[in-house]
Amino acid sequence: MALKGLKYMNIRRIRLVLLAAAVVSVMTACGSRGPEGSKDSVVIAIGSEPETLDPTKGWGHGNSPIVQSTLVKYTADLTFENDLATGYELSEDGLTWTFTIRDDARFTDGEKVTAADVAFTLETARDAMGSVDLTYMEHAVARDDTTVVITLSRPASIFLNTLASVGIVPEHAYGKDYGTNPIGSGPYKLVEWKAQEQIVFTANEDYYGGVPAISHVTVVFMSEDAALAAVQAGEVDVAYSSATLGRTEVDGYHVEAFVSADNRGFTLPVLPDEGRTTETGAPVGNNVTCNREIRQAIAYVIDRQQIADVVLNGFGRPAYSENDGMPWNNPDAVIETDVEYAKKLLADAGWADGDGDGTVEKNGLKAEFSCVYPSGDSVRQAVAMAAAEQVKKIGIQIHVEGTSWDEITRRMFSEAVMMGWGSAIPNETYYLYRSGGALLDDFYNPEGYQSDRTDGYLTAAMEALTVEEANENWRKVQWDGTTGTSMRGECPWVWIVNLDHVTYVRDGLSIGEQPVHGHGHGLPLIQNLHEWVWVE
């Protein structure tokens, strides 16, 4: 074992040296600040490249679109403050929102931002039917240059959350290529986008919120290993990393670990295998995980704190729901690790190790199944394997397998997935558990969970007229005292850990007060980019 470990370390060291050499050449082209560079630029390495910079098609979803302005924006404590808006009024029935907007905002082509642009943006986002859900919006109309009236078909308690993510686009300059050549009124503007390599931004000198201190920003897209190599070579200023790499010390840098809502856990198909397929032909159902006692036993046997401490190097916390720590979380969703209770759940349901091979079975069916994760994701792999090892204690075998996202898309309705979600907005609970979203190709509810009772709470939460009423119903979705989506209830998910977002930052750079990060390989990091500043 020692020789194999030494060989692995040598191979890894060689690989990082090669990666660093490649990174140096890329960074030279990028014009990195470097230790002796200017005090107004940064180079940032993150793991995921956006598909578009068009907010109507998802750019900024769950975060802040730095190229565009939004009507309202999040604060670090998850409340709202005005951005383009100067105020709003809501009708008593919760259906009509009237926003007034500032008159000093301009797009980077010099044209004024008007209420007509706001109305155009919202109606375009609604019609796009992408990751921005505005299906409940009937229409948005500009009353005059600074007033927009938005009419909903039903009350929507999440409407402000949605507006905080939808950047306003210019009606006069919007076209098919907008997503790769955007014009906005936010703190930054696009200079260059080389697909699969980098995006370069520069500060918007006419930004009404004040010109950012960091005027030149290069975002490069790298794997975790490559990003660490870039840090070790001193060629990036900030690098999104991972819990598995975050204990590596690098001179001139420090690690900041940001609390996030980003979680990892097993999705477990709740439907039996009856030969069904999805509309795209993917198989549906699993005869082992469709048994609630199997799902709950897995949930109760896992020692989440141990996985957070050992697998995540302490960069994480146990997870019990999709919204741990949020104001709409139900604390009753928390469960304690209890191996004996997990065994009892199985025994009471008739699962037993009849042939002594260590795997329980029932009616000739062995309690074993596969769990897939995206190859190359070291955190998902490590969490899945650690959890699978713990689950063996109660006679359930989980076969962990790395594969492509295309393959996961085909297999996720019939096999477990080490999935990741997490958002600082309550919308996610709705999408994860609504019956109408089951078995679609959007990753939200591949397990096929459906419940009229849950749908009732979801609808009540969505249509609530007050935050308090909405939160009460969001909590009941998880556990209403009898049942729910939590691991105490129907348990379509086995939540395992919430990740800290581990980030290498060059000494002397302040990246501001980070809002709670949602799921994402680096993009949540730059949502407050306009607050970054070199202090040394």
Side-chain angles (χ1 to χ4, degrees):
M1 288 294 292
L3 288 176
K4 289 175 69 177
L6 180 60
K7 180 180 179 182
Y8 170 78
M9 290 302 294
N10 286 335
I11 291 173
R12 182 179 178 83
R13 188 174 296 112
I14 292 170
R15 184 183 180 201
L16 289 176
V17 169
L18 292 173
L19 284 168
V23 164
V24 169
S25 64
V26 173
M27 292 300 105
T28 300
C30 294
S32 169
R33 169 189 176 273
E36 301 301 327
S38 64
K39 292 290 187 179
D40 64 351
S41 65
V42 294
V43 177
I44 308 165
I46 64 176
S48 60
E49 180 177 17
E51 295 181 1
T52 178
L53 297 184
D54 184 347
T56 71
K57 297 180 179 178
W59 165 243
H61 179 58
N63 301 300
S64 175
I66 61 173
V67 176
Q68 297 87 7
S69 304
T70 53
L71 282 176
V72 295
K73 59 184 179 181
Y74 287 109
T75 64
D77 62 358
L78 300 181
T79 58
F80 297 101
E81 64 182 16
N82 290 329
D83 188 3
L84 274 177
T86 57
Y88 71 89
E89 295 179 356
L90 176 61
S91 62
E92 290 187 5
D93 61 6
L95 297 179
T96 303
W97 297 71
T98 303
F99 283 87
T100 54
I101 67 170
R102 58 195 309 147
D103 62 3
D104 61 344
R106 292 187 177 275
F107 293 110
T108 52
D109 64 357
E111 294 293 322
K112 197 169 184 178
V113 181
T114 69
D117 296 303
V118 176
F120 172 80
T121 298
L122 296 178
E123 296 216 330
T124 301
R126 178 201 59 199
D127 295 343
M129 298 185 69
S131 57
V132 180
D133 181 11
L134 283 171
T135 54
Y136 52 85
M137 189 187 80
E138 289 191 352
H139 50 76
V141 178
R143 179 184 294 169
D144 52 45
D145 279 355
T146 58
T147 310
V148 61
V149 180
I150 306 165
T151 304
L152 310 183
S153 59
R154 56 177 171 78
S157 64
I158 63 170
F159 192 48
L160 285 179
N161 302 94
T162 300
L163 293 179
S165 294
V166 182
I168 304 306
V169 304
E171 183 176 12
H172 67 275
Y174 186 84
K176 291 182 179 179
D177 66 342
Y178 182 85
T180 55
N181 189 29
I183 292 173
S185 57
Y188 286 90
K189 53 187 178 182
L190 176 70
V191 175
E192 178 186 53
W193 185 356
K194 292 183 178 180
Q196 300 180 359
E197 292 183 16
Q198 66 180 31
I199 296 181
V200 179
F201 299 102
T202 189
N204 178 5
E205 295 182 353
D206 297 319
Y207 178 53
Y208 54 83
V211 182
I214 304 296
S215 59
H216 302 287
V217 179
T218 302
V219 179
V220 293
F221 311 113
M222 294 181 172
S223 66
E224 297 165 356
D225 281 354
L228 179 58
V231 169
Q232 292 172 322
E235 297 297 333
V236 297
D237 301 302
V238 180
Y240 180 86
S241 189
S242 70
T244 53
L245 299 175
R247 292 298 178 188
T248 305
E249 295 185 3
V250 182
D251 288 344
Y253 293 81
H254 59 281
V255 170
E256 297 193 32
F258 302 109
V259 173
S260 81
D262 199 357
N263 47 55
R264 299 291 182 272
F266 293 132
T267 59
L268 299 175
V270 301
L271 301 174
D273 179 1
E274 298 175 331
R276 295 176 55 194
T277 63
T278 66
E279 291 183 0
T280 58
V284 169
N286 186 292
N287 288 332
V288 176
T289 63
C290 70
N291 297 281
R292 185 177 63 174
E293 68 272 10
I294 291 284
R295 303 193 300 270
Q296 287 186 327
I298 293 170
Y300 276 95
V301 76
I302 291 176
D303 187 336
R304 292 163 178 79
Q305 189 63 58
Q306 182 184 61
I307 292 176
D309 291 343
V310 177
V311 176
L312 300 184
N313 287 317
F315 293 121
R317 302 160 313 286
Y320 303 100
S321 72
E322 73 278 7
N323 54 34
D324 291 349
M326 298 296 109
W328 48 93
N329 175 258
N330 189 338
D332 290 338
V334 174
I335 61 173
E336 299 294 332
T337 301
D338 192 334
V339 177
E340 294 309 310
Y341 180 62
K343 291 179 179 178
K344 184 176 185 301
L345 284 169
L346 297 177
D348 288 350
W351 295 88
D353 183 7
D355 57 12
D357 68 349
T359 303
V360 298
E361 60 183 275
K362 180 179 180 181
N363 298 328
L365 178 66
K366 292 281 189 180
E368 59 182 343
F369 56 91
S370 294
C371 172
V372 292
Y373 71 92
S375 298
D377 191 319
S378 62
V379 170
R380 294 195 201 210
Q381 178 188 34
V383 171
M385 293 184 70
E389 190 65 28
Q390 293 180 352
V391 170
K392 286 182 181 179
K393 298 175 186 177
I394 56 174
I396 297 177
Q397 302 294 325
I398 303 177
H399 307 292
V400 177
E401 177 187 347
T403 188
S404 67
W405 275 114
D406 286 342
E407 184 68 6
I408 291 172
T409 302
R410 189 185 70 83
R411 296 168 62 178
M412 65 185 180
F413 308 103
S414 60
E415 299 177 19
V417 180
M418 175 50 60
M419 195 74 83
W421 281 111
S423 176
I425 57 179
N427 313 35
E428 188 163 278
T429 294
Y430 177 77
Y431 298 119
L432 283 173
Y433 300 119
R434 65 189 181 99
S435 296
L439 307 181
L440 301 180
D441 290 328
D442 60 6
F443 296 104
Y444 273 113
N445 189 355
E447 61 274 14
Y449 176 78
Q450 297 175 322
S451 166
D452 290 342
R453 192 166 182 169
T454 297
D455 287 343
Y457 293 135
L458 290 172
T459 298
M462 291 285 281
E463 297 184 0
L465 296 180
T466 66
V467 171
E468 292 75 19
E469 181 186 354
N471 287 350
E472 180 182 355
N473 282 285
W474 292 127
R475 296 183 189 110
K476 287 181 179 178
V477 169
Q478 295 175 270
W479 184 250
D480 65 2
T482 303
T483 188
T485 60
S486 69
M487 294 180 288
R488 294 181 63 184
E490 291 303 310
C491 194
W493 270 80
V494 170
W495 303 97
I496 301 177
V497 287
N498 289 305
L499 308 180
D500 289 344
H501 279 187
V502 179
T503 307
Y504 282 90
V505 181
R506 192 187 293 275
D507 293 342
L509 176 63
S510 169
I511 60 175
E513 184 180 5
Q514 290 282 318
V516 174
H517 286 194
H519 178 63
H521 297 275
L523 286 174
L525 179 69
I526 65 172
Q527 60 187 308
N528 73 330
L529 188 58
H530 61 286
E531 298 177 1
W532 294 19
V533 62
W534 289 101
V535 294
E536 293 180 9

